[in-house]
Amino acid sequence: MRLTNETQKDMETRYYKVAGHTFGVSGEAGVFALMENYAPFSCKADEAVFMLTVGKGAAVSYTEDLRQEEEGQQIICGRTSTGESVDEFVWWNESAGWLVCKDNYHEGRLVLTGRHTKMAVDNALMVMFALATADKGTALFHAAAVSCDDYGYLFLGKSGTGKSTHAGLWVKHIDGAVLMNDDNPVVRISEGRAVVYGSPWSGKTACYRNVSSPLGGIVLLKQAPYNRICRLEGIEISRSEER
């Protein structure tokens, strides 16, 4: 499978750096018009952990291995007849594109189709970033991240648990607390220290900050299966007042 000749004309390459890792994207001007959230991470050409070429082309034929689905989005994973890995991105039952990569995810092609091209670009870059940097002490988290007192804190949990709400409460009520990322921050371990980084991928909240802070803690949020309120008694009241 190749991108169309029409797509390959007038292509340019731009570079971005996230959590200290540089990657490159090749595409036409229309592709980069979809990538305003990457502007804070723009950098000069450098050795890249991966390169992604983006353009229109024919549908990719592959054999499905597995799939995941969340909030109307599907990622269907499989392989072509020649052994290349394929990730098809589907938005509300409409295909947005296919990411075709070598096994090490250092080189990939994103074939766009349909209306949801930005969704395909963002998902393709997240997949390649996560897999190309996995052996470099780097992990992309589904979390909300807040910096406070020079440390970064991650709030993890299933969708709808309240990650964004909890992060927002920190920002609202704790002096100096600032939102770093609201959906996909990055944690990288370097020289024995874990550091939290902002990323271009922040879900429904436009928080694309090229910032970093040493990791202060990771909080796993859970929702109880019930609502309950009770009166505090004795020593419990004293402890509550101290807080």
Side-chain angles (χ1 to χ4, degrees):
M1 186 281 304
R2 295 181 180 276
L3 300 176
T4 63
N5 291 333
E6 191 174 305
T7 295
Q8 292 178 349
K9 295 188 298 182
D10 302 322
M11 296 185 76
E12 62 174 304
T13 300
R14 299 185 187 182
Y15 291 85
Y16 306 90
K17 182 176 288 186
V18 177
H21 300 298
T22 299
F23 59 88
V25 179
S26 295
E28 295 178 308
V31 171
F32 297 109
L34 302 172
M35 296 178 60
E36 292 183 0
N37 47 312
Y38 295 80
F41 303 88
S42 180
C43 68
K44 295 181 180 179
D46 197 357
E47 183 177 355
V49 293
F50 71 84
M51 296 292 299
L52 176 65
T53 301
V54 183
K56 295 181 180 180
V60 178
S61 177
Y62 67 95
T63 301
E64 179 181 337
D65 292 329
L66 57 92
R67 65 173 63 196
Q68 69 176 46
E69 182 173 0
E70 183 177 352
E71 297 182 344
Q73 294 189 52
Q74 288 183 322
I75 300 180
I76 307 172
C77 307
R79 289 193 174 274
T80 66
S81 59
T82 58
E84 292 180 302
S85 67
V86 177
D87 294 280
E88 181 180 3
F89 306 112
V90 180
W91 179 257
W92 295 111
N93 298 317
E94 181 180 338
S95 181
W98 299 265
L99 172 64
V100 185
C101 293
K102 304 295 184 182
D103 280 342
N104 58 15
Y105 280 84
H106 292 173
E107 180 182 348
R109 306 185 303 278
L110 176 61
V111 183
L112 297 174
T113 184
R115 298 171 296 163
H116 307 293
T117 52
K118 178 167 177 54
M119 175 266 196
V121 170
D122 283 339
N123 276 274
L125 287 171
M126 278 194 288
V127 167
M128 291 197 72
F129 182 89
L131 295 175
T133 64
D135 62 347
K136 298 174 175 55
T138 305
L140 187 65
F141 279 77
H142 181 202
V146 170
S147 63
C148 185
D149 294 333
D150 299 322
Y151 283 92
Y153 298 89
L154 300 186
F155 304 113
L156 282 68
K158 295 180 179 180
S159 294
T161 301
K163 298 184 295 294
S164 296
T165 299
H166 195 80
L169 290 172
W170 273 51
V171 172
K172 181 178 180 180
H173 296 289
I174 300 177
D175 290 341
V178 179
L179 185 66
M180 298 178 70
N181 185 274
D182 199 37
D183 199 47
N184 289 281
V186 180
V187 175
R188 182 179 183 183
I189 298 176
S190 180
E191 299 180 351
R193 185 180 71 165
V195 179
V196 184
Y197 293 83
S199 82
W201 311 292
S202 192
K204 299 174 183 177
T205 302
C207 182
Y208 314 113
R209 303 183 62 219
N210 190 1
V211 295
S212 64
S213 294
L215 178 64
I218 297 177
V219 180
L220 178 60
L221 301 176
K222 294 183 179 180
Q223 283 186 335
Y226 52 81
N227 293 319
R228 184 174 67 188
I229 185 170
C230 60
R231 183 184 296 276
L232 299 181
E233 302 290 347
I235 193 170
E236 292 179 331
I237 296 176
S238 299
R239 288 175 177 173
S240 178
E241 290 174 345
E242 288 174 1
R243 295 193 193 101

